[in-house]
Amino acid sequence: MKGYDFSLRTYAVYIFITSMMAYCFVYGFEITHFTLSTDEEFADNLEQTLSLGRWGHALLHYFILPEPWLPFFTIMLGITFLALSSVYICRYLNLDLTLSLIYSLLLVGLPQAAFQLQFSNQADTFGIAMFLSCFSMQFLKRKTLKCSALFILINVLAISIYQASIMTPITLYLLKEMFDYFRCDKSHKSSLLYALKMLFRLLACLIICCVIYKLVLVAMLKIFNVTASSYLGEFIGWQQGVIHGLKFGVGSIAKYTSFKFAPYGMKLFSLVIPALLVIFIIALKKKKIEIFIFAVLAIFSVFTINILLGANLPPRSLIQAPLVFAGLITFVIYGLKRKEQGLYFSIVMVFIACMFSSRLFYSDYMAREADAYVATKIVTQIGQQFVPVDDKPIAVFFIGKMTPNNAWRVEDSDTFGLSFFEWNRFRIQEYLRTINLAEYAQPPEDKINALVAYSKTMPVWPAKNSIGITEGIVIVKLGNQNTELEKN
């Protein structure tokens, strides 16, 4: 196969338009029916994102992008950058037009992005981070100091937006080696030793990226006077023992490659296993086992962070999964010389992805419908029983959790379909404020223990006396859990 001359801008336009159409189709429900989801209730996410180490995201929203988000605009901006990413991935993998279209469709065909786009407060910057990681790969193959510096700079920015981006260049490199070994491209040095040297060079650059990222993070935390969050540390499973780390870290590979046990929106990822078997046969026929090795390593790259932490991270952290899913299946189509059938197959995958995505986002939509119904009843009841003094906001204390009925909620789908009443009082009050239903004051912190003790004698809402008042503070008991013991 002749190398793909990507200087033809028309090809890039075809790929971009195809990707945009596919993304708009798969995520059409969320685009046209904005749904308030978890983390979207807060009006200012600057401190939160900085504490999580995402200083690039924080700066983008502080100086350029709307904070915290805008309906339609935010998700469309993210999708636009994801579509642009497809162009640079296909360019880096050196795919012809047909294979590029197949790859781009399959990239959307695994709806992992749903778990990112659900969070509108980061949907735009997630797309930007993915674009930066993919765009940086054009500088990797040029061994000049200038290109290495550009590669490092661009990836520092990508990591500062979303830390999981650190693995994207490695995944793309492994996929490219898999294709190059099969093509026997004269410009490519088909040597495993050479490939390993390039991989070590890539790793060295990424280590430098991490160091720079960390130094800037320390400075940013000091400038904005923000304390680093222990959120990531809470996921470390190895501290609970080797067995636990293996079960949840390495075991996550088995989970996500199983159609039965994978989260709802990630079930299609299980197709990488039959694709891997076909790649093994192709590698044997070509007498180039390196093809199979790079395919296996590409799959492992998706779960590297899981393995390092010894944890089964949520699907939103596996941002390399669509790259590998599309890469392995596209390679099989290329190796078997079935481009026409592959194009039909990729279109079918987009329709299936739309089914998964629509179900997920509709479950969120129906959760908000149920939340609005419950919230209206509670606010109305508070207004009927308690009159504010001097027009000051009523101090309200929500304790416990409740789950309004949601017939559309999907099992094992991360935070999709969750109710705001399943969180704590801060999220509940922010939710009420964001939907313009009520704005209550939080009770003084020195009263919390007494309020928790008082609530123990109360029944659970909507029972009579489940909303009471003590010391001028309204108490709403949603459940028997002590949500004051929870951090989130």
Side-chain angles (χ1 to χ4, degrees), residues 61-343:
H61 276 268
Y62 190 76
F63 290 107
I64 302 173
L65 299 174
E67 172 67 20
W69 40 261
L70 280 179
F72 184 79
F73 172 82
T74 296
I75 190 171
M76 283 303 296
L77 184 63
I79 283 175
T80 301
F81 275 100
L82 288 175
L84 286 171
S85 300
S86 297
V87 175
Y88 283 95
I89 294 172
C90 294
R91 175 179 182 177
Y92 178 68
L93 296 181
N94 199 26
L95 303 177
D96 65 22
L97 179 58
T98 305
L99 288 175
S100 294
L101 296 178
I102 291 171
Y103 184 93
S104 299
L105 290 172
L106 289 173
L107 196 62
V108 188
L110 181 69
Q112 185 275 339
F115 297 96
Q116 291 287 348
L117 299 177
Q118 181 196 17
F119 299 88
S120 289
N121 61 317
Q122 66 175 37
D124 46 7
T125 55
F126 161 66
I128 293 172
M130 180 60 71
F131 168 76
L132 290 172
S133 296
C134 299
F135 175 71
S136 72
M137 298 306 290
Q138 65 178 322
F139 301 106
L140 181 65
K141 55 187 177 182
R142 304 171 190 173
K143 298 180 182 179
T144 64
L145 183 61
K146 179 182 177 181
C147 287
S148 296
L150 285 171
F151 175 83
I152 291 171
L153 174 62
I154 294 171
N155 277 284
V156 167
L157 296 175
I159 298 167
S160 71
I161 294 172
Y162 200 70
Q163 292 95 323
S165 300
I166 186 70
M167 291 304 301
T168 301
I170 297 175
T171 300
L172 290 174
Y173 173 75
L174 294 170
L175 291 175
K176 185 176 189 302
E177 288 298 308
M178 180 181 67
F179 276 97
D180 282 345
Y181 266 85
F182 180 82
R183 280 190 289 244
C184 300
D185 194 329
K186 293 180 180 180
S187 63
H188 178 72
K189 297 181 180 179
S190 298
S191 163
L192 186 58
L193 180 61
Y194 176 80
L196 290 174
K197 286 182 179 179
M198 286 292 293
L199 181 59
F200 285 131
R201 174 173 169 262
L202 172 58
L203 291 173
C205 288
L206 292 176
I207 290 172
I208 295 173
C209 290
C210 290
V211 172
I212 297 173
Y213 155 79
K214 188 66 177 180
L215 291 173
V216 177
L217 174 61
V218 171
M220 292 293 297
L221 291 175
K222 288 183 178 179
I223 291 171
F224 286 91
N225 193 27
V226 175
T227 303
S229 171
S230 60
Y231 178 76
L232 186 61
E234 295 170 3
F235 282 101
I236 299 176
W238 292 110
Q239 58 192 3
Q240 299 182 42
V242 176
I243 300 299
H244 185 278
L246 290 173
K247 179 181 178 181
F248 290 95
V250 180
S252 65
I253 301 175
K255 176 182 178 180
Y256 279 96
T257 53
S258 165
F259 185 86
K260 181 178 180 180
F261 297 108
Y264 181 77
M266 293 288 288
K267 291 188 179 298
L268 292 177
F269 189 72
S270 59
L271 291 177
V272 299
I273 298 302
L276 191 63
L277 294 176
V278 177
I279 292 172
F280 179 69
I281 295 172
I282 292 173
L284 290 180
K285 289 184 177 180
K286 271 277 188 178
K287 296 182 180 180
K288 288 191 175 182
I289 196 63
E290 294 91 345
I291 295 173
F292 177 72
I293 293 174
F294 284 118
V296 172
L297 290 176
I299 293 176
F300 269 86
S301 71
V302 177
F303 304 97
T304 300
I305 298 177
N306 288 35
I307 296 171
L308 291 176
L309 294 178
N312 182 21
L313 296 179
R316 62 180 176 271
S317 65
L318 306 180
I319 62 176
Q320 292 80 27
L323 304 178
V324 174
F325 173 82
L328 267 58
I329 296 178
T330 301
F331 181 87
V332 169
I333 292 167
Y334 175 42
L336 297 179
K337 299 179 180 180
R338 294 288 186 271
K339 290 184 182 181
E340 183 178 349
Q341 294 87 337
L343 194 57

Side-chain angles (χ1 to χ4, degrees), residues 26-37 114 118 264 353-371 405-410 413 415-418:
V26 172
Y27 301 108
F29 183 83
E30 175 67 357
I31 294 171
T32 55
H33 298 75
F34 173 78
T35 306
L36 196 70
S37 303
Q118 181 196 17
Y264 181 77
C354 181
M355 176 191 72
F356 279 110
S357 172
S358 298
R359 178 71 186 271
L360 289 171
F361 281 107
Y362 191 67
S363 70
D364 245 15
Y365 177 82
M366 293 306 291
R368 295 297 81 76
E369 292 288 301
D371 279 354
N405 182 51
N406 182 3
W408 286 88
R409 187 166 179 175
V410 183
S413 58
T415 59
F416 277 101
L418 277 180

Side-chain angles (χ1 to χ4, degrees), residues 309-457:
L309 294 178
N312 182 21
L313 296 179
R316 62 180 176 271
S317 65
L318 306 180
I319 62 176
Q320 292 80 27
L323 304 178
V324 174
F325 173 82
L328 267 58
I329 296 178
T330 301
F331 181 87
V332 169
I333 292 167
Y334 175 42
L336 297 179
K337 299 179 180 180
R338 294 288 186 271
K339 290 184 182 181
E340 183 178 349
Q341 294 87 337
L343 194 57
Y344 296 143
F345 176 80
S346 61
I347 293 173
V348 170
M349 286 296 100
V350 170
F351 273 86
I352 296 175
C354 181
M355 176 191 72
F356 279 110
S357 172
S358 298
R359 178 71 186 271
L360 289 171
F361 281 107
Y362 191 67
S363 70
D364 245 15
Y365 177 82
M366 293 306 291
R368 295 297 81 76
E369 292 288 301
D371 279 354
Y373 174 76
V374 170
T376 301
K377 292 189 70 174
I378 291 176
V379 170
T380 300
Q381 194 172 340
I382 292 174
Q384 291 172 343
Q385 295 181 222
F386 311 104
V387 180
V389 181
D390 299 329
D391 294 327
K392 293 181 179 179
I394 300 174
V396 179
F397 179 71
F398 288 92
I399 183 75
K401 300 179 181 181
M402 71 167 295
T403 305
N405 182 51
N406 182 3
W408 286 88
R409 187 166 179 175
V410 183
E411 289 186 14
D412 198 10
S413 58
D414 201 25
T415 59
F416 277 101
L418 277 180
S419 165
F420 278 103
F421 293 101
E422 294 180 69
W423 296 95
N424 57 26
R425 59 187 169 100
F426 298 102
R427 286 185 179 271
I428 293 171
Q429 289 205 19
E430 284 298 314
Y431 165 68
L432 296 177
R433 179 195 59 78
T434 301
I435 64 172
N436 298 320
L437 186 61
E439 188 161 355
Y440 299 126
Q442 289 288 352
E445 287 300 317
D446 58 356
K447 301 285 186 181
I448 299 302
N449 290 336
L451 293 171
V452 171
Y454 185 91
S455 69
K456 291 180 180 178
T457 62

